[in-house]
Amino acid sequence: MMKLSKKIIEIILKSLGTGYEKRFLDSEFGNCHGYMRIVNYTPPSNVEENQVEGLGMHTDMSCITVVFQDELGGLQMRSKDGKWLNIHPCKNSLVVNIGDLMQAWSNGRLRSSEHRVVLRRSRNRFSLVFFWCFEDEKEVIAPNEIVGNGNPRIYHPFVCLKYIKFRESNEVGNFEKIGYTVKDFAGLNV
């Protein structure tokens, strides 16, 4: 998963500018780490065939997130115009989300995907999720080349771990503050 994530970041960097993968892959993303979770969404006993929210709208804290969802599906992404789009499971396919750390590092050129999980059946839904993140002490700041000439910076520089702690909840067993984003933490009023 580490090799796959690094390859995905290399492709993303190529899409941002010529030679960016050579300039930034090792210097900015060389010390990234990852962790995997098996996520089990248990529906309430009174689920209707319509839909019940399994995890509310949120963004991921990572640089990127790689997701394998079971055949039940239920992952939805929010489009730029606010519509919820179903991300149907496809055999031998993975879903890649841009996370908050990558949004800040790219100065907003890449958008952290707002997503949620909905449960449509009274069966457990499983996902295998790999979060690829900067190292804890990394200062997240968009390089000048990424910001571009004439474009304002839209995020204060911040230390990765401080953002992760900002998103942590005080509730036992509840890691993320659903709905908080990197804009809430480090966004500049531009």
Side-chain angles (χ1 to χ4, degrees):
M1 289 307 296
M2 293 291 287
K3 286 180 184 178
L4 174 62
S5 297
K6 194 167 186 176
K7 188 64 177 171
I8 291 168
I9 290 292
E10 180 181 357
I11 293 166
I12 290 170
L13 290 172
K14 285 179 181 180
S15 76
L16 291 173
T18 304
Y20 282 11
E21 75 284 1
K22 291 181 180 83
R23 170 128 189 178
F24 299 118
L25 185 62
D26 290 330
S27 65
E28 294 290 316
F29 299 92
N31 293 322
C32 286
H33 64 277
Y35 59 96
M36 188 171 290
R37 286 189 181 159
I38 297 173
V39 184
N40 176 10
Y41 299 95
T42 305
S45 57
N46 60 351
V47 68
E48 297 175 14
E49 284 297 315
N50 208 347
Q51 67 184 35
V52 173
E53 210 164 88
L55 181 60
M57 189 284 296
H58 66 286
T59 58
D60 293 335
M61 296 178 276
S62 57
C63 289
I64 60 169
T65 305
V66 181
V67 179
F68 175 79
Q69 57 178 333
D70 69 10
E71 72 282 354
L72 292 180
L75 179 62
Q76 293 184 330
M77 298 286 178
R78 184 182 250 165
S79 67
K80 278 187 173 183
D81 61 358
K83 293 179 183 164
W84 287 107
L85 307 172
N86 291 317
I87 308 301
H88 299 287
C90 296
K91 190 174 181 177
N92 299 321
S93 296
L94 300 169
V95 175
V96 177
N97 291 337
I98 296 294
D100 290 351
L101 295 175
M102 196 65 177
Q103 178 174 312
W105 186 86
S106 71
N107 200 49
R109 289 178 61 187
L110 299 170
R111 185 173 62 100
S112 185
S113 51
E114 294 177 337
H115 58 283
R116 67 183 182 185
V117 173
V118 294
L119 305 172
R120 294 191 176 97
R121 297 191 184 122
S122 55
R123 285 182 30 197
N124 287 23
R125 177 195 183 274
F126 291 93
S127 290
L128 190 58
V129 185
F130 185 77
F131 300 94
W132 202 60
C133 305
F134 288 127
E135 64 274 21
D136 289 348
E137 298 307 316
K138 173 154 180 70
E139 181 180 49
V140 180
I141 181 171
N144 290 332
E145 298 91 332
I146 298 293
V147 173
N149 291 332
N151 295 321
R153 285 195 178 277
I154 59 174
Y155 297 100
H156 291 285
F158 62 91
V159 174
C160 182
L161 184 60
K162 289 184 179 179
Y163 177 60
I164 301 300
K165 290 198 176 291
F166 167 77
R167 287 281 302 265
E168 286 178 346
S169 174
N170 292 327
E171 296 175 41
V172 175
N174 187 4
F175 185 68
E176 298 172 320
K177 291 179 180 173
I178 301 298
Y180 282 82
T181 69
V182 71
K183 286 182 183 179
D184 299 308
F185 180 73
L188 293 167
N189 295 328
V190 180

